[in-house]
Every structure is written in structure tokens, then in C-alpha cells.
Amino acid sequence: MSGQSLLVPGELSPARSVPGNIRRPEYVGKPAPTPYTGPEVQTSETIEAMRIAGRIAAQAMEEAAKLIAPGVTTDELDRVAHEYMCDHGAYPSTLGYRGYPKSLCSSVNEVICHGIPDSTVLRDGDIVNLDVTAYIGGVHGDNNATYLCGDVDEESRLLVERTREALNRAIKAVKPGRQINVIGRVIESYAKRFGYGVVRDFTGHGINSSFHSGLIIPHYDSPHATTVIEPGMTFTIEPMLTLGTHDYDMWDDGWTVVTKDRKRTAQFEHTLVVTDSGADILTLP
């Protein structure tokens, strides 16, 4: 694995503004969102609105990813995604969610998830996950991907490639009538082939008009994930695989989650809607 030094927190830039004409999610300015009490199966109108939100999120992530290179700060990636979403009439869902201060999550190397964009400068050989969610039309679209920065070592490159494949296999396993735990079973069995850890405490989730509806999508074979998959359900799958342990520590910022052994980790995510025969990806650019 790369001999990169471990990450340390950088300096945060001031909060970015969102034009006043862009609709805010209900949780902005509050300590926490109002708990979702609606159905997990969505109407066709909600699904089509989510397709728009998902497309904007995917395109914003794609635009930010174009800048990934040694010498670029994670804050600059946040700026690009923020401006893209605002320019397309969407609110960056993470901005103000439970007090989160930025418009995307940037998780580098040993950061599992929820890294906060700041003055951290990307280095040759880093891997960086961008997690972007857009809110428009009263609904959210959520996606993430892990990118290579410069010349990345083979072990890290394979981790990224196989984590993407784990997501693809999990999506193919989604079928009406199956239990949610089929998703984690597929991911975990694939990851075990390579000796990877599978993060257990951070999961996929139901998503619709609520950023996190309360539906939990584990990425390991959980005996408790017995909810039956139904057409019209909308949720994310977002496996986090590690080169070592799945255990984690959290930075003092209350957000940044790092592997306990500080080995590298990768993640990929799509928002899906269940169809009569499988799953349709809503976060396509």
C-alpha cells in the first residue's frame, strides 16, 4: 500500500451561499430533520422527480471529479459541485444537514465516509471519494464514487475497482420478493474473496422526500434486514470496503470516520428504484 502520511484536519472555508429562490429541505437551520413517516414505496411522480435530482447529483459529482489531481484542495471540489447544483436549481442536501458545513463529502484514503472538504491538498497516489446529494422538486438524489489521484498503487487501485464491482453485483441482486439482506450477502461474499473488511455501522438508506427515510440497507449479511423488497421502493446501496478492519474511529469534528487501523477504504453509491424485474439506477449523469 502507498506510504502516504495519514490525514489531519485542514482549515474550513466560510459556508457557501445558496440563491434564495432555491427550495431548501425542511431540516436546514434545524438541529435534525423531522422523522419520515411516509411509505417506502413511492409514486411514479416522486420517482420521476428523484430521477431529475439524481441526474443533477451525478453530474455535479462528475464535474467536481474532473478537477481531482495532485495539488487541488478538497474545498475546491466542494466549490465546483456546489456551484453546479445551484446553477441547476438544486440545493446541496448535505449543506446544513445536522449541522454539516459543506456541499459534498470528500473522503480521502483512510476516511471511510463523511470527510469534510477543507484546505487539505490532494497528493499523488491518493484515492478520494466524493459523495454528492442534490435536493430539487421536493426530493433527494444521492450518489458517490471513489477516484484515483495521480499514480495510485496497485493494492489501492484494485480496492477501488472491486468496491465498484461490489455495488454492481448488489444492484443486480435487487428483486421484488427478496429480503433486503440479499444485498449485504452479495457484497460481503464478494469482499471476502479478497480479504477486505466490510463496514457495518454505516449503511445504505431509504431516500425520497426524506434524505434518510429510516429504511436501513446493510452491506453485510444481517439477519435483521428482513424487509421484503417491493416495486417502487427507493433506497441507496453504498458499500464501504477496507483493506483491513471494518472498525473505525471518528475525528473530533463529529463527522469524519476513519478506519481504526488507518488502512485505506473505498466506497461507491447509487440511488435506486425497484422495478417489477429488478432495480433502475436514478443517479446516472
Side-chain angles (χ1 to χ4, degrees):
M1 189 183 74
S2 169
Q4 297 280 43
S5 58
L6 298 177
L7 290 170
V8 294
E11 295 295 321
L12 279 181
S13 65
R16 303 189 197 282
S17 62
V18 177
N21 63 319
I22 292 178
R23 178 179 172 185
R24 272 75 169 150
E26 59 83 24
Y27 53 74
V28 174
K30 295 165 53 178
T34 302
Y36 178 72
T37 57
E40 298 298 344
V41 172
Q42 304 304 311
T43 65
S44 57
E45 291 80 11
T46 296
I47 292 164
E48 289 313 303
M50 289 180 67
R51 201 179 300 278
I52 293 168
R55 185 180 306 122
I56 292 172
Q59 290 171 334
M61 184 174 74
E62 199 172 64
E63 288 302 306
K66 289 177 182 177
L67 272 72
I68 292 175
V72 175
T73 66
T74 54
D75 190 62
E76 180 67 4
L77 304 179
D78 181 79
R79 181 190 65 78
V80 171
H82 177 94
E83 290 179 359
Y84 186 94
M85 285 184 274
C86 292
D87 287 348
H88 290 80
Y91 186 92
S93 301
T94 60
L95 185 61
Y97 179 78
R98 297 184 181 271
Y100 187 83
K102 291 293 175 181
S103 299
L104 58 70
C105 299
S106 56
S107 301
V108 180
N109 296 344
E110 69 270 19
V111 180
I112 295 171
C113 57
H114 305 157
I116 301 174
D118 58 17
S119 62
T120 296
V121 176
L122 296 178
R123 302 161 296 181
D124 187 55
D126 283 343
I127 60 174
V128 55
N129 178 274
L130 300 182
D131 192 337
V132 179
T133 310
Y135 178 79
I136 188 171
V139 297
H140 301 269
D142 185 4
N143 69 162
N144 77 56
T146 304
Y147 299 91
L148 310 182
C149 180
D151 185 16
V152 175
D153 68 273
E154 181 73 356
E155 186 179 36
S156 299
R157 188 188 64 76
L158 285 171
L159 173 69
V160 171
E161 182 181 297
R162 290 164 176 168
T163 306
R164 182 191 291 111
E165 176 63 15
L167 172 60
N168 292 339
R169 289 174 179 236
I171 291 170
K172 290 175 183 173
V174 174
K175 305 284 183 189
R178 292 179 174 176
Q179 293 183 342
I180 288 290
N181 57 14
V182 70
I183 294 167
R185 189 175 308 132
V186 165
I187 292 168
E188 188 172 40
S189 63
Y190 180 70
K192 278 183 174 178
R193 290 193 202 175
F194 312 105
Y196 295 155
V198 181
V199 173
R200 302 167 78 90
D201 293 317
F202 299 90
T203 67
H205 52 89
I207 183 170
N208 39 65
S209 59
S210 173
F211 195 169
H212 300 87
S213 73
L215 176 67
I216 301 299
I217 312 294
H219 302 120
Y220 64 98
D221 188 4
S222 169
H224 306 295
T226 56
T227 299
V228 175
I229 298 170
E230 299 178 60
M233 291 176 78
T234 49
F235 52 81
T236 72
I237 303 176
E238 45 189 299
M240 292 152 259
L241 305 187
T242 67
L243 289 175
T245 182
H246 63 75
D247 292 329
Y248 68 93
D249 293 320
M250 187 176 287
W251 283 4
D252 292 342
D253 61 23
W255 285 103
T256 305
V257 180
V258 295
T259 54
K260 187 169 279 292
D261 57 13
R262 303 304 190 265
K263 291 186 177 180
R264 288 187 168 188
T265 176
Q267 181 184 17
F268 284 84
E269 172 188 24
H270 276 305
T271 296
L272 312 171
V273 59
V274 181
T275 66
D276 290 335
S277 58
D280 188 11
I281 299 172
L282 298 176
T283 38
L284 292 174

